[in-house]
Amino acid sequence: MSDYDAIVVGAGLGGLTAASQLQNKGFKTLLLDHCDQVGGCCGSMQIGDYKFDTGPSVVELLFVIDEVFTNIGRKREDYIEWIDIDPIYGFVDNAGKHFSYPTSIEGTREVIAKFSEEDARAWDRFADLGANALEKAFNIVMTQPMTTLSAAARVMVKNPAMMKYMAPYMLKSFQQVLTGFFKDDSVVSSMCLQSYFIGLPPCLAPGYIAFLAYSEHDGIVYPKGGMDMIPKGICKAFEEDGGKVQLNSTVSKILTEGKKVTGVELEDGTRISSSMVITNVNAKVVYEEMLGKDRIPGWAYKGVKSYEVSIPAPMIMLGVDKKPDLECHHTFCHSSIDNMNSIWFDNFKENKLLGDKNFMLICTPSLSDDSLAPKGHHTLNLVSFSPYEPVEGDWDKGLREKYLEDILDLMKRKFGLDLTSNLKVAEVIDPKRFERRFLHPRGAVYGLQQDLCHSAMFRPGMKSRIYDGLYLTGASTHLGGGVAPTIGSGIAATDLIMKDRG
């Protein structure tokens, strides 16, 4: 007899979601994670009196999180409290010019009109199309497995309007879609950051991703107490239903017999048996390391090896004893769309740091939630992109400290933001630290690269074709990284399990 009905490897949002639903449906479930806290990237780090998020910084597509709690007979508001975020973004350009976009569609139109009346009219069309695309396409696929072409076809047959809003933009790039609507350089630049939310430059990201610039106007929130309150809320419900969480437990191997999984082996040699294993680990790690070349067919090994991991995203965490010259939860320090493309080809692909090309997403969550820092103090997270092995040096051999100095200097010199005068604490999570902390290969923040050929049914399936009882969730599966997509992967994987074993 097995120790558990189901073992979930990895307490990220996808794993937590699957575990909570399985336990609630009567499966005796064990949740394992190598960290000392649940949440994976959606976690926190306490540095002195300051609490920092270690991954995502806001939440959108809220219905996905509500669905998790509904599925287990609970109400989300009993576990997680939302704080509305408005404005959505503040912007600072090279000339030090500040402006912001509110949640309001009409309010954003007014801001855009100050740059271009033509682009303001284009915003009306863009927002109308975005609203329909969100309702009739994106929201539908958010919790659907779509692991094969036939599965994707079935979803589209049930929802014929999807093709109207997806097909025209699947074969275009993010940049082509964006510049097809907007012409003013400042407006285009203000909306080009979203391509990097899937880890690709505007010229390579799929066109439908451009509508992320609208989806945030449907409402974004921040969980009171920090982003880790989302995984903690789901985990609390899981434990209330009798689920077991075992932290500081690294899984080194998935055990198999014939074509079935039989459990897992921990790094210390402990074996735990189950006929079902759900992983929230990067699919490359699952197949290349936890199973290994000798236990998967050649075609599968070749396929998994062909996937490229996503871009790393170093994060600088700052605690300051005075309010910075920022007014928004998110501030995007940017230049041009051409610069955003050049960063990919001339820097990241050449393993060079970004230097003066650098852009920055600054998250100041303490402006929304003052519980994250002492009274009058603030926390800031500075996020950009850099190579895993830059030619300029080794992150573990002095580059980390130099990177911090260079970024703080750049913020002051290029964008007019002095973040050093009142600095109390500073920490850098570079790609190597990120890899060690979250077991993401090469510090890949979004799991796998997510161009059109590596999206939806072209990503690793949520149900293994090699071993019965093996399922996958998380950023390397359908829909990729982000709070809603990874939670959606847990919902979708559970649906597959229930069809197989319910």
Side-chain angles (χ1 to χ4, degrees):
M1 186 175 178
S2 297
D3 297 320
Y4 291 90
D5 299 324
I7 296 174
V8 179
V9 181
L13 292 175
L16 275 165
T17 298
S20 66
Q21 293 188 111
L22 289 171
Q23 182 68 34
N24 185 261
K25 294 178 187 299
F27 293 86
K28 182 184 176 184
T29 304
L30 171 66
L31 178 61
L32 299 167
D33 199 279
H34 81 287
C35 285
D36 59 0
Q37 60 179 290
V38 299
C41 297
C42 191
S44 68
M45 178 182 289
Q46 190 76 32
I47 305 175
D49 294 328
Y50 302 87
K51 182 178 181 181
F52 298 92
D53 300 318
T54 56
S57 52
V58 291
V59 188
E60 54 189 287
L61 302 174
L62 305 180
F63 74 92
V64 179
I65 300 179
D66 288 342
E67 186 173 332
V68 174
F69 287 96
T70 299
N71 289 349
I72 57 176
R74 289 171 168 83
K75 295 180 179 179
R76 183 271 309 157
E77 53 267 33
D78 292 334
Y79 294 83
I80 306 167
E81 180 182 349
W82 294 141
I83 299 171
D84 291 330
I85 302 300
D86 194 6
I88 296 172
Y89 287 110
F91 300 92
V92 183
D93 64 17
N94 286 346
K97 185 176 183 180
H98 290 242
F99 63 97
S100 61
Y101 287 151
T103 303
S104 161
I105 299 295
E106 295 76 17
T108 297
R109 188 193 196 283
E110 292 175 7
V111 175
I112 293 174
K114 294 177 182 178
F115 294 98
S116 164
E117 282 291 346
E118 179 186 355
D119 279 7
R121 291 189 293 273
W123 169 254
D124 293 336
R125 299 192 302 274
F126 182 84
D128 182 64
L129 185 59
N132 281 290
L134 200 65
E135 177 187 353
K136 297 174 182 177
F138 300 128
N139 288 359
I140 291 169
V141 303
M142 194 59 63
T143 58
Q144 298 294 319
M146 294 185 72
T147 53
T148 63
L149 284 169
S150 59
R154 286 193 294 273
V155 173
M156 292 178 184
V157 168
K158 286 184 179 179
N159 305 277
M162 279 182 63
M163 291 308 294
K164 176 181 178 182
Y165 296 102
M166 292 290 282
Y169 306 103
M170 291 183 72
L171 300 180
K172 291 183 178 181
S173 71
F174 177 102
Q175 183 168 340
Q176 287 172 321
V177 172
L178 201 60
T179 56
F181 282 94
F182 307 107
K183 308 303 177 186
D184 182 88
D185 288 343
S186 292
V187 175
V188 171
S189 296
S190 70
M191 296 187 186
C192 67
L193 172 67
Q194 279 86 353
S195 75
Y196 275 104
F197 284 179
I198 66 163
L200 290 170
C203 66
L204 294 182
Y208 60 85
I209 299 298
F211 293 106
L212 282 176
Y214 166 80
S215 67
E216 291 157 333
H217 291 269
D218 205 43
I220 60 171
V221 299
Y222 185 77
K224 185 172 179 58
M227 290 298 297
D228 64 333
M229 300 310 291
I230 299 173
K232 285 179 178 177
I234 300 173
C235 187
K236 181 181 178 183
F238 171 64
E239 292 183 305
E240 286 173 352
D241 280 338
K244 181 179 178 181
V245 180
Q246 188 171 314
L247 301 175
N248 299 305
S249 300
T250 303
V251 173
S252 59
K253 186 184 295 185
I254 296 172
L255 303 175
T256 59
E257 187 175 306
K259 292 299 179 182
K260 297 181 178 181
V261 299
T262 59
V264 299
E265 183 176 304
L266 304 185
E267 207 170 47
D268 64 5
T270 301
R271 291 192 167 200
I272 309 170
S273 63
S274 176
S275 62
M276 184 161 52
V277 174
I278 303 94
T279 76
N280 191 62
V281 180
N282 189 292
K284 287 178 72 71
V285 174
V286 172
Y287 286 109
E288 293 178 14
E289 300 176 22
M290 292 182 172
L291 287 170
K293 187 175 182 179
D294 294 340
R295 288 194 290 156
I296 62 175
W299 61 265
Y301 187 77
K302 185 176 180 180
V304 171
K305 290 289 285 186
S306 72
Y307 286 109
E308 291 187 38
V309 297
S310 76
I311 194 169
M315 179 179 290
I316 295 175
M317 301 171 176
L318 305 177
V320 296
D321 63 6
K322 181 181 178 181
K323 180 181 175 297
D325 186 21
L326 300 166
E327 301 301 328
C328 301
H329 187 96
H330 277 155
T331 301
F332 179 29
C333 301
H334 67 96
S335 51
S336 68
I337 197 167
D338 289 337
N339 184 67
M340 298 293 277
N341 287 324
S342 175
I343 283 169
W344 176 268
F345 294 104
D346 299 331
N347 294 83
F348 177 65
K349 284 296 183 180
E350 298 297 325
N351 289 319
K352 297 177 181 177
L353 295 177
L354 275 56
D356 272 7
K357 288 182 183 178
N358 223 322
F359 68 94
M360 195 64 57
L361 178 65
I362 302 178
C363 182
T364 316
S366 53
L367 291 174
S368 305
D369 182 356
D370 61 11
S371 71
L372 304 176
K375 186 176 181 179
H377 293 222
H378 287 274
T379 58
L380 298 90
N381 288 18
L382 282 61
V383 185
S384 187
F385 299 97
S386 292
Y388 179 76
E389 296 176 312
V391 296
E392 290 86 352
D394 190 322
W395 291 106
D396 288 334
K397 296 180 180 178
L399 184 61
R400 184 178 301 124
E401 293 75 18
K402 184 178 186 303
Y403 181 79
L404 173 61
E405 293 176 6
D406 290 349
I407 291 298
L408 293 177
D409 174 68
L410 180 74
M411 289 295 98
K412 185 175 182 178
R413 179 167 44 84
K414 186 176 180 180
F415 298 106
L417 294 172
D418 183 2
L419 303 176
T420 61
S421 298
N422 300 94
L423 192 60
K424 305 299 289 184
V425 300
E427 191 69 59
V428 180
I429 300 183
D430 59 75
K432 288 192 173 182
R433 279 187 169 177
F434 193 90
E435 179 181 47
R436 289 192 288 264
R437 183 178 178 90
F438 301 115
L439 301 186
H440 284 224
R442 298 183 68 82
V445 68
Y446 300 116
L448 303 178
Q449 191 165 298
Q450 200 170 343
D451 55 8
L452 182 61
C453 295
H454 297 91
S455 299
M457 72 290 293
F458 303 118
R459 291 175 83 75
M462 294 176 180
K463 177 181 176 179
S464 174
R465 294 165 56 190
I466 305 169
Y467 287 103
D468 179 49
L470 177 60
Y471 300 85
L472 284 74
T473 68
S476 62
T477 62
H478 168 48
L479 282 177
V483 175
T486 50
I487 288 177
S489 75
I491 294 172
T494 303
D495 287 346
L496 286 172
I497 292 168
M498 295 310 297
K499 287 177 182 177
D500 291 343
R501 307 205 177 195

